[in-house]
């Protein structure tokens, strides 16, 4: 299984309890990812060809893609490698977040549009998008940024912003305190879905803050379910 999300951690628990002979895979993006109850490998496979070679070497019979909706490259590679190798593939993916009454969301298609959606006058922005796409935002130096990262890879002078180290899943009281403490006026987030990162959107609704929400990237069609139970049922029936 391709992991790296809360749902992936839950699926690993269920597979281990069911005695399924599985391998959990991390990309190796964080220094010390959460330990899993399945044998775990860390690091890229080396593109589609590397993934196919892995399937052969490990005699993989089923692949579950439980990566994050924004891990589009991994998901694209899995679709290609499984089709080429004739290995059944199932995606475990949480539904996108839907706006509720009181939400002030602006949907944007990508990072560039998110940067352009910020107001021109100086604002205090909670950038909850990790570390891979920060540069275009930080280039707009009139804003003050609150960054939440998993690992201490970057620091900001106090007048430019503040870095919080946290891995999530995040809590409502934690995000309430965080946004309050830093006088946040805007939130930028990916439409990750799931419960692990939803708290900041709830707090934005409570405080009437505008949210710039980045749409998910395109992923080629593949069989997709939303729950661990559906994955277990699929495992029992899918044949090579
Ligand atoms: C390495 C595994 C779990 C729970 C942690 C979920 C919940 C928190 C939402 C915010 C948003 C963000 C980020 C986020 C979420 C969960 C879940 C989820 C967003 C870990 C993990 C790995 C990663 C990689 C990391 C990215 C970064 C993205 C931080 C582990 C904790 C911002 C995405 O420093 C880096 O290079 C971090 C890179 C990809 C996005 C980015 O572009 O920076 N996730 N996140 C996985 C691997 O190596 O394969 O370290 O334990 C997993 C989780 N991330 O039970 O695991 O949604 O499942 N992760 C985003 O959504 O915008 C945080 O702060 O509010
Ligand atoms: P990505 O851009 O889709 O993938 C880039 C490359 O990283 C892939 O081609 C693959 O390398 C490697 N890779 C990605 N996920 C992997 C996995 N689970 N196991 C082995 N190799 C993997 O991926 P990403 O967005 O950087 O995400 C990396 C990890 O963080 C994933 O586990 C994802 O679930 C987790 N995550 C991402 C986000 C996010 O916002 N992107 C949020 C939460 C969690 P090769 O081509 O060499 O095989």
């Amino acid at each position: 299984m391709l992991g790296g999300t809360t749902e992936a951690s839950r699926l690993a628990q269920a597979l281990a309890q069911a005695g399924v002979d599985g391998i959990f895979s991390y990309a190796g993006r964080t220094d010390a990812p959460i330990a899993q109850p399945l044998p775990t490998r860390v690091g890229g496979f080396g593109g589609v060809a590397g993934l196919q070679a892995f399937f052969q070497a490990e005699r993989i019979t089923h692949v579950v893609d439980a990566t994050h909706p924004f891990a589009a490259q991994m998901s694209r590679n899995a679709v290609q490698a499984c089709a080429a190798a004739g290995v059944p593939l199932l995606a475990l993916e949480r539904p996108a977040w839907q706006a509720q009454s009181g939400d002030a969301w602006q949907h944007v298609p990508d990072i560039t549009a998110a940067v352009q959606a910020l107001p021109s006058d100086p604002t205090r922005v909670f950038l909850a998008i990790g570390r891979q796409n920060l540069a275009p935002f930080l280039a707009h130096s009139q804003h003050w940024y609150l960054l939440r990262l998993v690992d201490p890879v970057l620091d900001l002078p106090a007048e430019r912003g503040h870095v919080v180290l946290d891995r999530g899943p995040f809590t409502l009281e934690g995000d309430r305190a965080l946004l309050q403490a830093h006088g946040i006026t805007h939130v930028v987030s990916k439409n990750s879905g799931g419960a692990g990162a939803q708290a900041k959107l709830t707090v934005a609704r409570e405080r009437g803050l505008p949210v710039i929400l980045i749409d998910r990237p395109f992923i080629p069609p593949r069989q997709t379910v939303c729950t661990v139970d559906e994955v277990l049922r699929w495992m029992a029936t899918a044949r090579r």
Side-chain angles (χ1 to χ4, degrees):
M1 57 177 291
L2 299 169
T5 59
T6 303
E7 286 75 12
S9 302
R10 285 206 202 109
L11 176 60
Q13 292 288 344
L15 292 177
Q17 271 151 21
V20 171
D21 174 11
I23 300 176
F24 189 100
S25 179
Y26 274 125
R29 300 209 63 71
T30 56
D31 292 347
I34 296 174
Q36 296 293 340
L38 292 174
T40 300
R41 65 169 297 288
V42 180
F45 296 95
V48 174
L51 193 50
Q52 273 184 261
F54 177 80
F55 293 164
Q56 271 145 19
E58 296 291 337
R59 298 199 313 286
I60 300 295
T61 59
H62 298 73
V63 175
V64 180
D65 177 354
T67 59
H68 189 275
F70 281 75
Q73 186 59 57
M74 184 72 258
S75 295
R76 276 194 291 273
N77 289 0
V79 169
Q80 281 186 47
C82 288
V87 174
L89 168 67
L90 182 70
L92 171 59
E93 192 171 84
R94 58 281 185 105
W97 290 314
Q98 306 288 337
Q100 304 172 20
S101 66
D103 281 332
W105 292 0
Q106 180 179 351
H107 294 274
V108 293
D110 53 31
I111 293 285
T112 308
V115 178
Q116 288 156 359
L118 282 174
S120 50
D121 46 357
T123 46
R124 296 177 68 85
V125 186
F126 178 23
L127 256 193
I129 57 166
R131 75 167 165 184
Q132 297 184 81
N133 299 296
L134 296 176
F137 289 94
L138 296 178
H140 289 252
S141 55
Q142 75 272 36
H143 301 312
W144 189 91
Y145 290 108
L146 172 64
L147 305 183
R148 179 151 62 189
L149 305 178
V150 178
D151 297 321
V153 292
L154 176 138
D155 211 349
L156 284 178
E159 67 278 6
R160 291 297 317 280
H162 177 67
V163 176
V164 168
L165 294 181
D166 200 349
R167 168 188 305 273
F170 306 103
T171 64
L172 196 49
E173 50 279 357
D175 278 6
R176 270 194 194 116
L178 188 67
L179 272 67
Q180 167 74 31
H182 296 286
I184 295 303
T185 62
H186 287 70
V187 174
V188 179
S189 169
K190 296 173 189 165
N191 196 334
S192 310
Q198 187 157 26
K200 58 187 177 281
L201 302 183
T202 307
V203 177
R205 182 185 317 127
E206 290 172 348
R207 301 166 68 90
L209 302 180
V211 173
I212 297 169
L213 203 65
I214 303 166
D215 294 335
R216 296 177 172 190
F218 170 76
I219 291 176
R222 68 252 162 101
Q223 195 179 347
T224 300
V225 296
C226 293
T227 66
V228 165
D229 285 346
E230 288 170 287
V231 177
L232 298 178
R233 280 200 291 278
W234 176 79
M235 293 285 297
T237 57
R239 287 279 169 271
R240 282 201 63 156

